[in-house]
Amino acid sequence: MSGSTFNTMFRITTWGESHGKAIGVVIDGCPAGLPLAEEDIQGYLDRRKPGQSKISTPRKEEDAVEILSGTFEGLTTGTPISLIVRNMSQRSRDYSEIASYYRPGHADYTFDRKYGFRDYRGGGRSSGRETIGRVAAGAVAAKLLKELGINILAYTKAIGPIAVDMDKFNVEAIAATPTRMPDYEASEKAEKYLAGCMEKTDSAGGIIECRISGVPAGLGDPVFEKLDANLAKAVMSVGAVKAFEIGDGCKVCTANGSGNNDCFSAESGKVIKKTNHAGGILGGISDGSEIVLRAYVKPTPSIFSEQETVNKDGENVRVRIKGRHDPVIVPRAVVVVEAMAALVLADAVIGNMSSRVSYLKDFYSREQ
Amino acid sequence: MSGSTFNTMFRITTWGESHGKAIGVVIDGCPAGLPLAEEDIQGYLDRRKPGQSKISTPRKEEDAVEILSGTFEGLTTGTPISLIVRNMSQRSRDYSEIASYYRPGHADYTFDRKYGFRDYRGGGRSSGRETIGRVAAGAVAAKLLKELGINILAYTKAIGPIAVDMDKFNVEAIAATPTRMPDYEASEKAEKYLAGCMEKTDSAGGIIECRISGVPAGLGDPVFEKLDANLAKAVMSVGAVKAFEIGDGCKVCTANGSGNNDCFSAESGKVIKKTNHAGGILGGISDGSEIVLRAYVKPTPSIFSEQETVNKDGENVRVRIKGRHDPVIVPRAVVVVEAMAALVLADAVIGNMSSRVSYLKDFYSREQ
Amino acid sequence: MSGSTFNTMFRITTWGESHGKAIGVVIDGCPAGLPLAEEDIQGYLDRRKPGQSKISTPRKEEDAVEILSGTFEGLTTGTPISLIVRNMSQRSRDYSEIASYYRPGHADYTFDRKYGFRDYRGGGRSSGRETIGRVAAGAVAAKLLKELGINILAYTKAIGPIAVDMDKFNVEAIAATPTRMPDYEASEKAEKYLAGCMEKTDSAGGIIECRISGVPAGLGDPVFEKLDANLAKAVMSVGAVKAFEIGDGCKVCTANGSGNNDCFSAESGKVIKKTNHAGGILGGISDGSEIVLRAYVKPTPSIFSEQETVNKDGENVRVRIKGRHDPVIVPRAVVVVEAMAALVLADAVIGNMSSRVSYLKDFYSREQ
Amino acid sequence: MSGSTFNTMFRITTWGESHGKAIGVVIDGCPAGLPLAEEDIQGYLDRRKPGQSKISTPRKEEDAVEILSGTFEGLTTGTPISLIVRNMSQRSRDYSEIASYYRPGHADYTFDRKYGFRDYRGGGRSSGRETIGRVAAGAVAAKLLKELGINILAYTKAIGPIAVDMDKFNVEAIAATPTRMPDYEASEKAEKYLAGCMEKTDSAGGIIECRISGVPAGLGDPVFEKLDANLAKAVMSVGAVKAFEIGDGCKVCTANGSGNNDCFSAESGKVIKKTNHAGGILGGISDGSEIVLRAYVKPTPSIFSEQETVNKDGENVRVRIKGRHDPVIVPRAVVVVEAMAALVLADAVIGNMSSRVSYLKDFYSREQ
């Protein structure tokens, strides 16, 4: 069944395998008139690029994006925007061995069971390179949202046991640290922790937090297209994410109603919430306050320690995965979470425009 | 925008408000030939009924389901199955006051902002009664899955600080306890905890766990229609759920790859995983082991303590919510989570049938 | 596979069989604030009711609609509108015989092949009664469109060889004649023609024409969601329709470009087309002129003449269909075509609101 | 709104403009294991290529397809198949003039009204080059269908007043004649007719017929996803098609039930229809006989005669379109209709696999 299309209005379809000729995405439903150039997208792709630090694989991936359609004289035309990134440095010989067994923690086994065989080169479609399409499309969504005053900021909240101290939150540190943490001290500790993991030929997990500001009230639809439900799907569809939270998240299970409810208050003619335990969404609809969500990311499954598994002849074997692999997925996944959040919001801002008959009457009376 | 349809193949559309004439669901895409009677569905609805214990609201809701279409001589016909539950005991006078202000923790404010006004009687479409449609459809999905050997079991894992002791897991306790906990001792403690909350005119949250057994490998589709992503959306779309986990969930953030990876092993010609940290899904596709997921539920927002909020004239006011409200949502939401999981699986078992050309060739060569 | 949902934004799901308990539709995505009462819908349903004249079956079908959800104090709330019509006069004993063989020209055979069995009472889901759901939803769509100045008018263009003389077009005749022709003379001739068909225990076909006025330019989306493509699907999905035309339709095959092109002209600051061979749609997008479409309807397949067919034991048999059947489907299908056109337009007016970034900016700057 | 995605299961998304960098399509949902190489697709694209005869524009378009993803070692992998055709010979200078006015019969005006501006180079997204994506995807669909014994054959039925004599039907003539007519004599006459049109700087329309054989009974879904409704949408979405017929089509309006009904007959244990007025579909579901459909195509709107229109300053002007244009669209659109039919059937064969619970039980009992 088709599974590579996301969203209804600002709809994207991604394609491409780790070691195929290229990776790409088609964005269908982007409104006309958005200024868009390759630089707008390239900046996002560069943030997920490997080879940027000690804690990232030394693979060189150029990942240069090309806009193939959907813009004219620097503006989106309203028709599909096709974005492509050619795969440059993939060398199939590196991956010949993994054809012969199922890597623990990877999708090798499930792809074989589903499809009868698999493109084993670098994980094929289940590779992290698949996220290039998400990030490229997310960059366009984010640009559209910025026009409406909506901004999205994601960062690493924790790597293994090392968590950011939110009192030391420094937005510049996100881009400056290899961990994408908004806290230089925590980042240094996390780098040391990761160095320790690598010494033990092991890997680490972590937490990504994402904050969306400037969100108008009213986005999202009851009962299945709740904004938080769509954010959950978006984020949980990113490989290696095993849990998703909105607002106070898991903590609500031990809270009491009196402490968890956010009281409303009228201030200078505006209704605001005095706290934000809900994370900006009530009944699945944005309430105008900041949206806060978190993704829990598992440790990189590709580790260099010896592991038990089964080979293609059905025999139990002990293997050591070779190649170049990040000891932690989190820093490179930060921009992926940001992109997915942007895509969900882009769909929601469009979908919300028809929530009242009066909006349609206003629109079509102006148009005539 | 339309938001009350879920799934692609086994597609459901729910409708109805708390105090409207009725609540219902249309199931479109259920295969023909499934034995189905109202009793099959009623059992599920009874599990979410209020008024069953001290910790549940004393409201009497009959919630008797009627099959209006889609069956003939006791079997589904392949055409839409329309299910309806008439609203019997709703009394609008109970709710006249809440028309005048925004209840904290509820969707009153966001509905007003989105739609310009709201059906304030009992929360309207944002009421927990909306889940009747989900549960009724989920009962049909679960019946279909049972024909394929797939079984779903949900239960309360924790209420407030009181967690089930999994060593004392007793499946019969789930139906027997008012908490829906599979552990009589924990349930008693939880009841005491809830009694304390009620005394303080407060409410509690908790955790629901759901286990799906008999799942064939191969369900789910890369990259956006991953089985875990769809389960996340399904569960997060249930009101009051603030976090979702699959397998080890949040815990993966502090795990190491060596501990988190599930090794494969060949046993009597079958490939199995020696552990199940992944929760039964790898790369978004079921791996043949048990699927385990958890939902974190917030405390009931309707509390009898005084709260601050804003009234419809934009004034700051202090309010006390009246009426009959459960001190905890968790026990009645257990069957809702089970229903949502069943719906996702029903879609996935259908979608997976066309994953290989050889399946189509087998199918159409038999058919001719 | 699910097949009873139509549209993306103004989405409807119909359900119900000819002799089940009820027939209905759920409308999901109707904007909030539309005044809506049962009378608004009943008028449309009455237009498809049988038993209104000699050329219509004497069956008495009350077809009284009930709004079960989605309105509050006379206005749509933005949540699903559930409409139900109870089946009153259906008597299963009338249909016991048709269980035993395949009626020529009906879906008996194909339903059996697809589903393994069928609800044979009155055609089950393949009965013309299925259109009640379409018409009820179409009435709501038409009400929304009227708020925007869009009006839809359908009528019988021809019955058998008797065609309307468009020079004698009289809009009042549509409601006044049993044929739904806008021409009293043609209607009388058609009635005589039908009387002749009935004498010969035979039936007739015809043509329905539909005109949509007040359509703003810009509705419809390239390349697959063209407005005419969606109108074609909508109309061809009505049972018995075997051909669809837009504008000049079939005639274009023998036209030349010089005669078929509609020249543009600027008149008092507005661009208009001097002719309308295109039928109001260019490149799949409405051009601001009247939309004109036609449906070609086959003769009623239920005829009282002897016919050859196969019974359920696989034997060749000769049968005579009993019961009460219209000699022509066209007059009662006029409102169905009108309803389907309204549904397509309702989706298109919503979908078009996000075609430009500037529209989003305007919308969200006002909202803040 | 997004409009470039078609189908639910065998889902395609096309992109690209006439004078952009490339044109392409992503196929998502193609089952794994289908042998697929670029040659399989190139043959179809070559059939729509211009410059092949006197009656086709002398433009040289290479239209060489490249498979960018979704295959491995010559087989489809079950993941998205991305196909690209680079635009080679497009020269923007040819089209600078048409930026200044609205071409009659084209989408220039409607695109401007919808999006605020347009990519005027060669028609941009509304150009006939858009069909490259459809044809490339249709080639893959046709290959899948051939594995199941389903074959599709389209041809020109008429050009202007010159119709094929079906008694002289010669399948080889379809590929051999520039008109794509299955009748050498008619083709010669049509060529002469077209030569006459060209002399008068005018253009012609025509009819395309498509026959689908080997179709199993049971494809298509009541009530909106009827096979004929989806074929109608598919074919009407092709630019320049103004009418669609199934089986006897328009002719049914003057037929009688006794003549239009197809009687069933049992022959050697099989149920067949003795005639095929229905065109292979009853109640929206395939009946096992040949599917026959027709598309009515308007004359090429780009004619070299002088025409009246409006320029971008809102002034009435007289224009003569320059460039290279086919005097008739029909011959090159034959393969487009064939492709669209293949896409609809590919979706239907997949969707039909879950019509009975017994099919699911068979499937999953084998799988375990």
Side-chain angles (χ1 to χ4, degrees), chain A residues 228-354:
Chain A
D228 37 358
N230 278 324
L231 286 166
K233 175 169 179 170
V235 170
M236 288 293 298
S237 76
V238 179
V241 175
K242 303 299 286 182
F244 171 86
E245 287 185 334
I246 194 93
D248 279 6
C250 294
K251 275 190 264 172
V252 298
C253 73
T254 49
N256 294 115
S258 59
N260 187 65
N261 280 351
D262 300 310
C263 287
F264 291 104
S265 177
E267 299 196 1
S268 3
K270 276 200 147 185
V271 176
I272 60 148
K273 281 160 49 200
K274 298 178 85 168
T275 52
N276 191 16
H277 298 290
I281 300 175
L282 279 170
I285 300 172
S286 63
D287 62 23
S289 52
E290 192 180 51
I291 294 177
V292 185
L293 61 89
R294 277 172 295 280
Y296 290 76
V297 182
K298 75 175 184 180
T300 315
S302 292
I303 53 172
F304 305 125
S305 310
E306 192 179 75
Q307 295 184 92
E308 299 172 57
T309 191
V310 175
N311 70 13
K312 65 178 173 185
D313 300 320
E315 300 161 337
N316 287 314
V317 289
R318 291 181 161 274
V319 300
R320 271 180 198 281
I321 289 171
K322 289 163 198 150
R324 303 152 301 182
H325 300 286
D326 294 349
V328 66
I329 290 163
V330 170
R332 291 180 59 198
V334 162
V335 70
V336 182
V337 168
E338 200 173 301
M340 292 310 297
L343 289 165
V344 171
L345 267 286
D347 218 47
V349 291
I350 294 174
N352 182 49
M353 292 174 73
S354 58

Side-chain angles (χ1 to χ4, degrees), chain B residues 77-99:
Chain B
T77 59
T79 59
I81 302 166
S82 179
L83 305 175
I84 189 171
V85 170
R86 288 269 167 187
N87 287 329
M88 305 300 279
S89 69
Q90 277 61 36
R91 289 169 299 171
S92 288
R93 60 186 153 99
D94 289 342
Y95 294 91
S96 54
E97 189 184 323
I98 66 165

Side-chain angles (χ1 to χ4, degrees), chain D residues 55 86 113 231 242 253 317 351:
Chain D
I55 62 162
R86 290 269 168 187
R113 286 294 301 269
L231 286 166
K242 302 300 286 184
C253 74
V317 288

Side-chain angles (χ1 to χ4, degrees), chain C residues 321-344:
Chain C
I321 289 171
K322 288 163 199 152
R324 302 152 301 183
H325 301 287
D326 295 349
V328 66
I329 290 163
V330 170
R332 292 179 59 199
V334 162
V335 70
V336 182
V337 168
E338 200 172 301
M340 293 309 297
L343 289 165
V344 170

